[in-house]
Amino acid sequence: EKTDRVVYGRDPEGFKEQMQMEAHELARAQYGPELLTVLGERYQLRAEIYLANELSGRFSMKKQLASMNNNWAMARHGLNFYTSAAHSVYRLNGVRRAQQTAIKNTQRSAAASSGDSPPDPETVEAEQAKAMEAAFDTALPTWMKTAWYWVVRDIDITIKSVCRKFLQDKSVPWQIRIRRAHALASLGQIFTEAAKEAVAAGVSAEQAMSPEEVKAKIQEALIGSMREK
């Protein structure tokens, strides 16, 4: 385990240096700063809850405050996801409406110029692609954000389970569990600081991501669904 260096080896400086290197490497990945922020926040909150429970008491004010902070963070992540999901549905409908409008406009133009003759299929397809391109460019950031918020909610659930097993491991002495909690809090702080440094340096999801492949796949799926209808 990564925390063994500080929990058993009593080498906080070495642990900090190692984790800082890994955090800076992760910060350069797609959604790296955002991921570090979420992980750092979750690690610190789970450690805070455990330490408050063990050192101050289950019904202490410190424990209640730590639990409230944790619940608020999870509620915020859930609200972000559902709000973004609603916006994604709206954007999806916008893409569909853009294609349908392009079809109608092309048909009207062809009918007006050639006496109700059928429009050229290539012209119709070109107009549809152009309309969908504009609508898709507008919708893509919202869809990517929704996908990210879904990942954050999954992280919340996973971290809760993993940290409980890690901090409540009865196979090790109580003192080791306390050290683990302090190490987890330190790791969370390192991740949070690395995320802030990355943001200050101009690293963001928009810069790290390559949306063209995602865009092409989603657009292909939308066009296919329209043709099926």
Side-chain angles (χ1 to χ4, degrees):
E1 295 178 355
K2 296 183 182 299
T3 58
D4 286 353
R5 188 167 184 174
V6 65
V7 173
Y8 296 102
R10 299 297 189 92
D11 182 15
E13 294 301 322
F15 168 76
K16 182 178 181 180
E17 181 179 355
Q18 179 185 357
M19 292 301 99
Q20 284 177 335
M21 292 176 58
E22 294 191 13
H24 288 138
E25 181 177 352
L26 180 58
R28 293 192 293 268
Q30 181 173 322
Y31 280 97
E34 290 80 0
L35 180 59
L36 285 171
T37 298
V38 174
L39 289 176
E41 177 189 69
R42 301 309 303 156
Y43 287 157
Q44 290 182 86
L45 286 171
R46 296 312 308 180
E48 183 181 350
I49 289 174
Y50 179 80
L51 290 172
N53 183 71
E54 293 295 318
L55 302 180
S56 300
R58 179 175 299 180
F59 302 105
S60 65
M61 183 63 67
K62 192 172 183 178
K63 169 65 183 300
Q64 299 306 314
L65 181 59
S67 297
M68 286 176 59
N69 290 336
N70 178 71
N71 293 337
W72 166 246
M74 295 190 68
R76 186 178 71 252
H77 293 164
L79 179 62
N80 288 340
F81 169 71
Y82 288 115
T83 301
S84 185
H87 291 164
S88 292
V89 172
Y90 176 79
R91 294 297 186 186
L92 176 61
N93 291 334
V95 173
R96 292 179 179 273
R97 287 194 301 269
Q99 187 188 39
Q100 293 168 356
T101 300
I103 295 173
K104 292 179 181 178
N105 290 341
T106 304
Q107 291 174 341
R108 289 171 185 168
S109 177
S113 60
S114 58
D116 296 329
S117 63
D120 180 21
E122 293 185 0
T123 302
V124 173
E125 188 171 348
E127 290 294 331
Q128 292 178 23
K130 184 178 180 180
M132 286 191 65
E133 182 78 17
F136 198 92
D137 287 342
T138 302
L140 183 60
T142 301
W143 292 344
M144 295 297 291
K145 185 178 293 185
T146 300
W148 166 246
Y149 284 144
W150 173 259
V151 172
V152 170
R153 295 190 74 228
D154 186 62
I155 290 174
D156 284 339
I157 297 172
T158 302
I159 291 296
K160 180 179 180 180
S161 176
V162 170
C163 287
R164 276 185 172 178
K165 292 179 181 179
F166 179 65
L167 296 175
Q168 298 179 11
D169 182 8
K170 302 300 182 182
S171 66
V172 298
W174 178 81
Q175 292 86 346
I176 296 297
R177 297 198 296 271
I178 294 296
R179 290 183 202 167
R180 285 181 175 181
H182 285 297
L184 192 64
S186 298
L187 179 59
Q189 185 176 359
I190 291 170
F191 279 9
T192 301
E193 291 175 353
K196 291 179 179 178
E197 292 176 4
V199 171
V203 179
S204 65
E206 288 75 13
Q207 291 175 315
M209 65 183 288
S210 299
E212 293 303 323
E213 293 183 1
V214 178
K215 178 179 176 181
K217 290 180 181 179
I218 298 177
Q219 196 167 22
E220 181 181 352
L222 288 173
I223 293 175
S225 68
M226 289 296 182
R227 287 175 178 172
E228 291 177 357
K229 292 184 178 181

